[in-house]
Amino acid sequence: MPSSPHRALRGSLVLCLAAALSALVPSPAVASPGSGPTAVVAMGDSYISGEAGRWQGNSLTTSGSRNGTDRAWTGSGYDPSRVYGTTAANGCHRSDTAEVKSAGPIASALVNLACSGATTDNVFRAAQGGVAYKGEAPQADQLATVARTHDVKLIALSIGGNDLGFADIITTCATDYIVWYSYCHDDQQAEVDAKIDGVMADVGKAIDEIRTVMTGAGYAFGDYRIVLQSYPSPIPRAAENRYSESGWSRTNTGGCPFWDKDSDWARDSLVPQIANRLKGVAAAKGAQFMDLRDMLQGREVCAKASKQVSATVPASAATSEWARWIDQNQTQGPLQENMHPNAYGQAALGRCLALVNERTSGNHSCRNTAGTGASGMYLTAG
């Protein structure tokens, strides 16, 4: 039987009332570009996640607080979660001094999605071949959530080192010094040369993936910035090493078991090669570039300009080393912390990020000032 005009009218009124009421019910909080809490996001690998943030310099003392260098010391034992939080368990090692956390109040939220050991595959979205890592979704998929709930202003990205096999290079070079008495730079350079084109293509894809996520969240190209950064050298040039190449002091005392020629290759060939290629990727993808090749100059493990911490030489950002040494016997923490910026180095990286945050365009190189802490970091063009 056909509906009466009155019944149809009542139905229309009910629909209108329902629509009006639904408009009054608050929806889940969703931000958009220009609204919501601002955010700066760190993505990538161990050099930005905060690996080795447990340490303030290096000390030969293997007990207690290691002369004040071990921030995980509780007074009766060691608790890495004091530094790495819940990520002490899965090994992502996002420290409380990680670059984005040390940058200061540059945004309402300082979000660290980076994970120690991550490769480009762990940045890509799952829909584009991205791979979950250490129990966490691909970082681009995590970014999608942040982008929907925050007004993301800057994304700092450090990636590619693990694709090139940084850990294997360090292991090979150290083994060649300690065991085989042979050089590593010749065969390792060939390994890098064979991989680097493919790795840089994947770094470019990682930036594309970030762009796609941000576009999907409603951001225009100019609403946010991507800063791609390079890597610092954790070891000094041969002429700047305070330990003799011969004997066992570099291994047992300094924690820098590398031949002079291999040290010079790493500092003046490998690190610049990777930095220059990353700079090219940034230019091709419309990202800013932060060059960190000289960030640890004079603050490297075994550098003449720095000192080990001891009972008479206190830990200090002004005088201590800013990178974690090689602890081959694992008497002080896990191997994965080796050859990474420590808490002092990460504070310096945070200052670099804060400075770049103020420069809305251009490429910049970040350097330190001898005899000072993070406050002495400064930028030069390029």
Side-chain angles (χ1 to χ4, degrees), residues 33-362:
S35 68
T38 58
V40 170
V41 182
M43 299 179 67
D45 55 27
S46 55
Y47 273 76
I48 198 169
S49 75
E51 183 67 86
R54 172 177 174 175
W55 304 95
Q56 298 179 136
N58 299 303
S59 170
L60 292 169
T61 299
T62 60
S63 60
S65 69
R66 340 277 194 178
N67 291 318
T69 62
D70 192 348
R71 301 173 59 235
W73 173 246
T74 65
S76 59
Y78 303 100
D79 179 9
S81 69
R82 290 164 62 97
V83 176
Y84 300 123
T86 58
T87 65
N90 72 357
C92 278
H93 283 188
R94 299 186 188 107
S95 73
D96 55 356
T97 58
E99 180 179 316
V100 72
K101 299 295 184 180
S102 293
I106 59 175
S108 298
L110 304 174
V111 182
N112 191 353
L113 302 179
C115 184
S116 183
T119 64
T120 50
D121 284 346
N122 307 128
V123 174
F124 306 156
R125 291 170 297 153
Q128 293 297 315
V131 179
Y133 186 59
K134 295 187 177 178
E136 298 183 356
Q139 292 178 32
D141 291 326
Q142 295 182 54
L143 174 64
T145 300
V146 178
R148 288 193 299 269
T149 57
H150 294 76
D151 179 16
V152 177
K153 294 298 186 183
L154 186 150
I155 299 163
L157 175 65
S158 170
I159 201 69
N162 292 316
D163 299 70
L164 283 170
F166 268 4
D168 291 338
I169 292 172
I170 290 170
T171 299
T172 298
C173 291
T175 301
D176 282 355
Y177 180 87
I178 298 170
V179 179
W180 302 116
Y181 301 97
S182 62
Y183 295 124
C184 73
H185 63 269
D186 44 4
D187 57 323
Q188 291 306 300
Q189 183 64 64
E191 292 277 345
V192 170
D193 289 343
K195 295 177 181 178
I196 197 163
D197 286 345
V199 170
M200 292 303 144
D202 285 340
V203 173
K205 179 181 175 181
I207 294 176
D208 289 341
E209 289 287 277
I210 291 170
R211 295 276 189 212
T212 300
V213 166
M214 298 301 286
T215 299
Y219 290 73
F221 191 91
D223 289 332
Y224 66 98
R225 289 183 286 150
I226 296 175
V227 175
L228 179 65
Q229 59 190 55
S230 66
Y231 299 90
S233 172
I235 59 174
R237 298 177 177 89
E240 297 166 352
N241 195 311
R242 63 178 179 264
Y243 300 103
S244 170
E245 181 181 37
S246 61
W248 290 99
S249 59
R250 286 190 181 181
T251 301
N252 296 332
T253 304
C256 57
F258 304 102
W259 294 109
D260 283 352
K261 287 186 178 180
D262 290 339
S263 299
D264 286 343
W265 165 73
R267 179 66 180 84
D268 289 327
S269 181
L270 178 63
V271 168
Q273 177 187 15
I274 295 169
N276 291 336
R277 292 297 302 271
L278 287 170
K279 183 178 181 179
V281 173
K285 298 298 181 179
Q288 284 183 270
F289 178 64
M290 181 161 67
D291 194 338
L292 298 175
R293 73 183 76 185
D294 297 317
M295 195 277 293
L296 291 176
Q297 174 62 38
R299 313 305 187 99
E300 307 99 332
V301 177
C302 297
K304 287 180 179 178
S306 296
K307 302 175 182 178
Q308 278 189 353
V309 180
S310 68
T312 57
V313 179
S316 165
T319 60
S320 300
E321 296 164 333
W322 284 9
R324 186 65 180 153
W325 60 8
I326 290 183
D327 179 19
Q328 61 174 329
N329 297 318
Q330 298 188 72
T331 58
Q332 301 182 19
L335 284 173
Q336 74 178 70
E337 294 177 317
N338 295 352
M339 296 284 102
H340 289 86
N342 60 26
Y344 295 140
Q346 288 172 27
L349 286 168
R351 180 59 183 160
C352 293
L353 180 60
L355 291 171
V356 167
N357 183 63
E358 297 172 356
R359 309 287 181 90
T360 57
S361 64

